[in-house]
Protein backbone atom coordinates (compact mmCIF):
# COMPACT_ATOMS: atom_id res chain seq x y z
CA UNK A 1 0.00 0.00 0.00
CA UNK A 2 0.98 3.65 -0.07
CA UNK A 3 3.65 4.94 2.29
CA UNK A 4 1.80 6.90 4.95
CA UNK A 5 2.68 10.23 6.54
CA UNK A 6 2.10 11.73 9.98
CA UNK A 7 1.13 15.27 8.95
CA UNK A 8 -0.97 16.62 6.11
CA UNK A 9 0.96 17.17 2.91
CA UNK A 10 -0.99 19.87 1.14
CA UNK A 11 0.62 19.16 -2.24
CA UNK A 12 -0.32 15.49 -2.03
CA UNK A 13 -3.81 16.30 -0.81
CA UNK A 14 -4.44 18.73 -3.69
CA UNK A 15 -3.11 16.14 -6.15
CA UNK A 16 -5.42 13.56 -4.62
CA UNK A 17 -8.48 15.83 -4.88
CA UNK A 18 -7.75 16.53 -8.56
CA UNK A 19 -7.12 12.83 -9.28
CA UNK A 20 -10.33 11.73 -7.56
CA UNK A 21 -12.35 14.39 -9.39
CA UNK A 22 -10.96 13.26 -12.74
CA UNK A 23 -11.42 9.60 -11.78
CA UNK A 24 -15.01 10.17 -10.70
CA UNK A 25 -15.83 11.96 -13.96
CA UNK A 26 -14.17 9.22 -16.03
CA UNK A 27 -15.98 6.48 -14.09
CA UNK A 28 -19.38 8.08 -14.51
CA UNK A 29 -18.71 8.67 -18.21
CA UNK A 30 -17.60 5.06 -18.71
CA UNK A 31 -20.61 3.66 -16.87
CA UNK A 32 -22.96 5.84 -18.87
CA UNK A 33 -21.41 4.62 -22.13
CA UNK A 34 -21.52 0.96 -21.09
CA UNK A 35 -24.88 0.79 -19.29
CA UNK A 36 -27.09 3.77 -20.04
CA UNK A 37 -26.30 5.28 -23.45
CA UNK A 38 -28.66 3.04 -25.42
CA UNK A 39 -31.43 2.95 -22.78
CA UNK A 40 -34.27 5.52 -23.01
CA UNK A 41 -34.37 8.12 -20.26
CA UNK A 42 -37.37 8.71 -18.01
CA UNK A 43 -38.50 10.89 -15.14
CA UNK A 44 -36.85 10.03 -11.83
CA UNK A 45 -38.48 6.96 -10.26
CA UNK A 46 -37.85 4.15 -7.76
CA UNK A 47 -37.60 0.42 -8.44
CA UNK A 48 -37.53 -2.62 -6.15
CA UNK A 49 -34.87 -4.93 -7.60
CA UNK A 50 -34.15 -6.90 -4.43
CA UNK A 51 -35.10 -10.22 -6.07
CA UNK A 52 -32.92 -9.80 -9.15
CA UNK A 53 -30.02 -12.13 -10.02
CA UNK A 54 -30.44 -14.17 -6.81
CA UNK A 55 -28.97 -11.12 -5.00
CA UNK A 56 -25.59 -11.41 -6.74
CA UNK A 57 -25.83 -7.81 -7.93
CA UNK A 58 -26.51 -6.66 -4.38
CA UNK A 59 -23.40 -8.39 -3.04
CA UNK A 60 -21.40 -6.88 -5.89
CA UNK A 61 -22.58 -3.43 -4.83
CA UNK A 62 -21.44 -4.06 -1.25
CA UNK A 63 -18.01 -5.34 -2.28
CA UNK A 64 -17.51 -2.37 -4.61
CA UNK A 65 -18.43 0.10 -1.85
CA UNK A 66 -16.02 -1.69 0.48
CA UNK A 67 -13.04 -1.46 -1.87
CA UNK A 68 -13.64 2.08 -3.06
CA UNK A 69 -13.76 3.03 0.63
CA UNK A 70 -10.56 1.05 1.25
CA UNK A 71 -8.81 2.92 -1.57
CA UNK A 72 -10.17 6.26 -0.35
CA UNK A 73 -8.80 5.56 3.13
CA UNK A 74 -5.34 4.59 1.84
CA UNK A 75 -5.18 7.67 -0.39
CA UNK A 76 -6.03 10.04 2.47
CA UNK A 77 -3.48 8.38 4.76
CA UNK A 78 -0.89 8.82 1.99
CA UNK A 79 -1.76 12.51 2.03
CA UNK A 80 -1.10 12.69 5.76
CA UNK A 81 -4.73 13.00 6.85
CA UNK A 82 -5.42 11.72 10.36
CA UNK A 83 -6.52 8.12 10.90
CA UNK A 84 -10.02 9.05 12.08
CA UNK A 85 -10.72 11.44 9.19
CA UNK A 86 -9.24 8.98 6.68
CA UNK A 87 -11.52 6.23 7.97
CA UNK A 88 -14.69 8.29 7.83
CA UNK A 89 -14.08 10.43 4.73
CA UNK A 90 -12.21 7.80 2.74
CA UNK A 91 -14.36 4.92 3.94
CA UNK A 92 -17.58 6.52 2.69
CA UNK A 93 -16.19 7.27 -0.78
CA UNK A 94 -17.72 4.09 -2.17
CA UNK A 95 -21.14 5.02 -0.80
CA UNK A 96 -20.89 8.41 -2.51
CA UNK A 97 -19.80 6.90 -5.85
CA UNK A 98 -22.48 4.21 -5.91
CA UNK A 99 -25.23 6.61 -4.85
CA UNK A 100 -24.35 8.54 -8.02
CA UNK A 101 -24.93 5.34 -9.98
CA UNK A 102 -28.34 5.00 -8.31
CA UNK A 103 -29.23 8.47 -9.54
CA UNK A 104 -28.37 7.32 -13.09
CA UNK A 105 -30.64 4.32 -12.54
CA UNK A 106 -33.40 6.59 -11.30
CA UNK A 107 -33.52 8.40 -14.63
CA UNK A 108 -33.32 5.22 -16.74
CA UNK A 109 -36.50 3.61 -18.11
CA UNK A 110 -35.06 0.09 -17.68
CA UNK A 111 -34.13 0.54 -14.01
CA UNK A 112 -34.86 2.87 -11.12
CA UNK A 113 -33.41 4.21 -7.89
CA UNK A 114 -33.10 1.20 -5.57
CA UNK A 115 -33.22 1.58 -1.79
CA UNK A 116 -31.96 -2.02 -1.60
CA UNK A 117 -28.80 -1.00 -3.43
CA UNK A 118 -28.32 2.00 -1.13
CA UNK A 119 -28.70 -0.28 1.90
CA UNK A 120 -26.08 -2.79 0.74
CA UNK A 121 -23.74 0.02 -0.35
CA UNK A 122 -23.98 1.33 3.20
CA UNK A 123 -23.23 -2.14 4.58
CA UNK A 124 -20.15 -2.44 2.35
CA UNK A 125 -18.77 0.93 3.45
CA UNK A 126 -19.68 0.20 7.07
CA UNK A 127 -17.88 -3.16 6.96
CA UNK A 128 -14.63 -1.40 6.10
CA UNK A 129 -15.13 1.43 8.59
CA UNK A 130 -16.09 -0.89 11.48
CA UNK A 131 -13.01 -3.07 11.09
CA UNK A 132 -10.67 -0.11 10.77
CA UNK A 133 -12.10 1.50 13.90
CA UNK A 134 -12.03 -1.76 15.88
CA UNK A 135 -8.68 -3.22 14.80
CA UNK A 136 -6.89 -0.55 12.72
CA UNK A 137 -6.70 -3.18 9.98
CA UNK A 138 -8.92 -5.35 7.77
CA UNK A 139 -8.98 -8.83 9.27
CA UNK A 140 -11.83 -10.00 7.05
CA UNK A 141 -11.45 -9.01 3.41
CA UNK A 142 -14.23 -9.01 0.85
CA UNK A 143 -12.97 -10.61 -2.36
CA UNK A 144 -13.97 -11.39 -5.94
CA UNK A 145 -13.27 -14.20 -8.37
CA UNK A 146 -14.50 -14.88 -11.90
CA UNK A 147 -14.73 -17.64 -14.48
CA UNK A 148 -16.43 -17.30 -17.86
CA UNK A 149 -19.81 -19.02 -17.68
CA UNK A 150 -21.63 -21.19 -20.21
CA UNK A 151 -24.48 -18.72 -20.62
CA UNK A 152 -23.18 -15.40 -21.86
CA UNK A 153 -23.35 -16.38 -25.55
CA UNK A 154 -27.08 -17.07 -25.18
CA UNK A 155 -27.79 -13.47 -24.12
CA UNK A 156 -24.69 -11.35 -24.91
CA UNK A 157 -26.75 -8.14 -24.86
CA UNK A 158 -27.55 -8.81 -21.20
CA UNK A 159 -24.51 -10.77 -19.96
CA UNK A 160 -21.80 -9.09 -22.03
CA UNK A 161 -20.30 -9.60 -25.47
CA UNK A 162 -16.70 -10.30 -24.44
CA UNK A 163 -14.59 -11.25 -21.44
CA UNK A 164 -14.22 -7.70 -20.13
CA UNK A 165 -17.99 -7.15 -20.22
CA UNK A 166 -18.68 -10.63 -18.83
CA UNK A 167 -16.59 -9.83 -15.74
CA UNK A 168 -18.94 -6.95 -14.97
CA UNK A 169 -22.29 -8.15 -16.32
CA UNK A 170 -22.40 -11.96 -16.10
CA UNK A 171 -23.27 -12.81 -12.51
CA UNK A 172 -23.15 -16.53 -13.37
CA UNK A 173 -19.36 -16.37 -13.48
CA UNK A 174 -18.82 -14.18 -10.42
CA UNK A 175 -18.17 -15.35 -6.87
CA UNK A 176 -17.94 -13.06 -3.85
CA UNK A 177 -15.99 -14.03 -0.75
CA UNK A 178 -15.41 -13.17 2.89
CA UNK A 179 -11.78 -14.07 3.53
CA UNK A 180 -10.75 -14.14 7.19
CA UNK A 181 -7.14 -13.85 8.28
CA UNK A 182 -6.88 -16.37 11.11
CA UNK A 183 -3.47 -15.25 12.40
CA UNK A 184 -4.76 -11.74 13.09
CA UNK A 185 -7.21 -13.19 15.65
CA UNK A 186 -4.49 -15.21 17.42
CA UNK A 187 -1.72 -14.20 19.81
CA UNK A 188 1.50 -12.63 18.58
CA UNK A 189 3.32 -15.86 19.44
CA UNK A 190 1.16 -17.97 17.16
CA UNK A 191 2.98 -19.71 14.31
CA UNK A 192 -0.12 -19.83 12.10
CA UNK A 193 0.90 -18.46 8.66
CA UNK A 194 0.11 -14.75 8.56
CA UNK A 195 -0.76 -14.90 4.85
CA UNK A 196 -3.18 -17.85 5.03
CA UNK A 197 -6.92 -17.11 5.16
CA UNK A 198 -10.10 -19.15 5.35
CA UNK A 199 -12.78 -18.02 2.91
CA UNK A 200 -16.50 -18.55 2.44
CA UNK A 201 -18.08 -17.58 -0.86
CA UNK A 202 -21.42 -17.05 -2.53
CA UNK A 203 -22.31 -17.44 -6.19
CA UNK A 204 -25.27 -18.29 -8.41
CA UNK A 205 -25.71 -20.11 -11.69
CA UNK A 206 -28.21 -20.62 -14.50
CA UNK A 207 -29.41 -17.01 -14.62
CA UNK A 208 -30.49 -15.90 -18.12
CA UNK A 209 -32.63 -13.06 -16.81
CA UNK A 210 -32.78 -10.81 -13.79
CA UNK A 211 -35.90 -12.34 -12.23
CA UNK A 212 -36.50 -15.57 -14.18
CA UNK A 213 -35.50 -17.70 -17.16
CA UNK A 214 -38.75 -17.44 -19.11
CA UNK A 215 -36.95 -17.62 -22.45
CA UNK A 216 -34.88 -20.62 -21.30
CA UNK A 217 -37.13 -22.69 -18.99
CA UNK A 218 -34.89 -25.75 -19.28
CA UNK A 219 -32.06 -23.99 -17.42
CA UNK A 220 -32.39 -24.14 -13.64
CA UNK A 221 -31.29 -21.26 -11.43
CA UNK A 222 -29.34 -22.19 -8.31
CA UNK A 223 -27.48 -20.64 -5.40
CA UNK A 224 -23.94 -21.80 -4.63
CA UNK A 225 -22.01 -21.67 -1.36
CA UNK A 226 -18.25 -22.21 -1.18
CA UNK A 227 -15.61 -23.07 1.41
CA UNK A 228 -11.95 -22.59 0.57
CA UNK A 229 -8.53 -21.46 1.71
CA UNK A 230 -7.14 -18.17 0.46
CA UNK A 231 -3.90 -16.20 0.35
CA UNK A 232 -3.93 -12.66 1.72
CA UNK A 233 -1.58 -10.88 -0.67
CA UNK A 234 -1.67 -7.72 1.45
CA UNK A 235 0.17 -9.56 4.25
CA UNK A 236 3.03 -10.79 2.08
CA UNK A 237 5.83 -8.27 2.59
CA UNK A 238 8.96 -8.06 0.46
CA UNK A 239 11.95 -5.74 0.48
CA UNK A 240 10.58 -4.02 -2.62
CA UNK A 241 8.05 -1.21 -2.12
CA UNK A 242 6.93 -1.69 -5.73
CA UNK A 243 6.28 -5.41 -5.19
CA UNK A 244 4.36 -4.68 -1.99
CA UNK A 245 2.21 -2.15 -3.86
CA UNK A 246 1.50 -4.66 -6.65
CA UNK A 247 0.53 -7.35 -4.13
CA UNK A 248 -1.76 -4.90 -2.33
CA UNK A 249 -3.34 -3.79 -5.60
CA UNK A 250 -4.42 -7.35 -6.44
CA UNK A 251 -5.42 -8.19 -2.88
CA UNK A 252 -9.11 -7.98 -3.76
CA UNK A 253 -8.88 -11.15 -5.87
CA UNK A 254 -9.60 -14.53 -4.30
CA UNK A 255 -6.57 -16.76 -4.87
CA UNK A 256 -7.54 -19.94 -6.78
CA UNK A 257 -7.19 -22.89 -4.38
CA UNK A 258 -9.04 -26.17 -3.68
CA UNK A 259 -12.70 -25.40 -2.99
CA UNK A 260 -15.85 -27.22 -1.90
CA UNK A 261 -19.21 -26.10 -3.34
CA UNK A 262 -22.62 -26.70 -1.76
CA UNK A 263 -25.58 -25.64 -3.88
CA UNK A 264 -29.33 -25.19 -3.55
CA UNK A 265 -29.92 -28.31 -5.66
CA UNK A 266 -28.57 -30.38 -2.79
CA UNK A 267 -25.35 -31.46 -4.51
CA UNK A 268 -21.73 -31.02 -3.43
CA UNK A 269 -18.84 -30.42 -5.83
CA UNK A 270 -15.07 -30.28 -5.31
CA UNK A 271 -12.64 -28.20 -7.38
CA UNK A 272 -8.88 -28.57 -7.25
CA UNK A 273 -8.61 -24.94 -8.30
CA UNK A 274 -11.67 -22.69 -8.31
CA UNK A 275 -11.74 -19.31 -10.04
Amino acid sequence: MFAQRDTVNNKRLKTLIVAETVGYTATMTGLYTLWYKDVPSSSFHFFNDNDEWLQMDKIGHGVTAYYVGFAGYEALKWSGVSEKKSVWYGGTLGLFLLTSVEVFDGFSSDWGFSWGDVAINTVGSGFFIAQQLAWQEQRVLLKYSFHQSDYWEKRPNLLGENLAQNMLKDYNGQTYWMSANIASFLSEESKFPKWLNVAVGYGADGMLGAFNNNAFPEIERQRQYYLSLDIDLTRIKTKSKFANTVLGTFGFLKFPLPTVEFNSNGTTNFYWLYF
Side-chain angles (χ1 to χ4, degrees):
M1 295 298 180
F2 295 121
Q4 297 176 350
R5 303 174 63 88
D6 295 325
T7 57
V8 175
N9 183 308
N10 288 324
K11 184 177 180 180
R12 286 191 177 189
L13 187 57
K14 289 178 181 178
T15 300
L16 175 62
I17 292 172
V18 171
E20 288 188 345
T21 301
V22 172
Y24 174 81
T25 303
T27 299
M28 291 297 103
T29 301
L31 283 173
Y32 176 81
T33 301
L34 180 62
W35 286 97
Y36 303 99
K37 183 178 67 173
D38 299 323
V39 177
S41 298
S42 70
S43 58
F44 187 83
H45 62 285
F46 296 91
F47 179 61
N48 184 351
D49 61 353
N50 293 338
D51 292 331
E52 286 190 345
W53 302 111
L54 297 179
Q55 291 76 52
M56 283 294 293
D57 62 322
K58 291 290 178 289
I59 298 175
H61 270 265
V63 172
T64 301
Y66 171 85
Y67 270 106
V68 174
F70 202 153
Y73 163 82
E74 291 284 352
L76 286 176
K77 288 294 291 180
W78 171 77
S79 302
V81 177
S82 70
E83 172 72 11
K84 186 175 181 180
K85 288 183 178 179
S86 294
V87 169
W88 285 106
Y89 294 140
T92 55
L93 186 62
L95 180 59
F96 171 77
L97 175 68
L98 292 173
T99 299
S100 300
V101 176
E102 288 306 313
V103 173
F104 272 3
D105 282 352
F107 285 104
S108 170
S109 61
D110 281 7
W111 301 289
F113 187 97
S114 167
W115 284 113
D117 284 351
V118 173
I120 198 65
N121 296 340
T122 304
V123 170
S125 295
F127 191 68
F128 170 80
I129 291 171
Q131 290 191 79
Q132 207 62 35
L133 292 176
W135 300 315
Q136 292 75 56
E137 63 176 352
Q138 298 296 298
R139 296 184 180 183
V140 182
L141 294 171
L142 301 183
K143 290 197 171 190
Y144 165 88
S145 66
F146 179 81
H147 60 272
Q148 202 161 27
S149 79
D150 299 326
Y151 305 111
W152 69 274
E153 291 180 302
K154 297 180 183 296
R155 298 200 69 183
N157 61 317
L158 185 64
L159 304 180
E161 299 176 352
N162 52 55
L163 179 60
Q165 291 184 11
N166 296 157
M167 294 176 71
L168 181 64
K169 291 185 172 184
D170 187 3
Y171 295 113
N172 297 288
Q174 300 174 9
T175 307
Y176 293 102
W177 303 82
M178 293 184 70
S179 180
N181 183 258
I182 304 303
S184 65
F185 291 98
L186 304 177
S187 66
E188 292 283 343
E189 294 75 25
S190 172
K191 295 183 179 181
F192 194 91
K194 297 187 182 301
W195 47 266
L196 184 61
N197 285 19
V198 173
V200 293
Y202 175 70
D205 191 58
M207 299 178 293
L208 275 299
F211 291 100
N212 54 60
N213 290 350
N214 285 342
F216 301 90
E218 72 281 5
I219 298 177
E220 186 175 1
R221 300 159 74 95
Q222 64 173 345
R223 301 178 186 272
Q224 300 161 318
Y225 309 92
Y226 299 93
L227 178 63
S228 181
L229 296 176
D230 185 30
I231 295 176
D232 187 346
L233 297 178
T234 67
R235 295 181 185 268
I236 298 177
K237 302 301 180 184
T238 71
K239 294 181 180 180
S240 167
K241 291 183 178 179
F242 175 76
N244 292 339
T245 299
V246 171
L247 288 171
T249 300
F250 289 96
F252 72 96
L253 295 174
K254 165 69 172 65
F255 202 87
L257 287 171
T259 300
V260 179
E261 172 202 325
F262 310 92
N263 60 53
S264 57
N265 288 339
T267 60
T268 302
N269 300 305
F270 178 79
Y271 306 89
W272 285 107
L273 289 178
Y274 180 82
F275 291 87

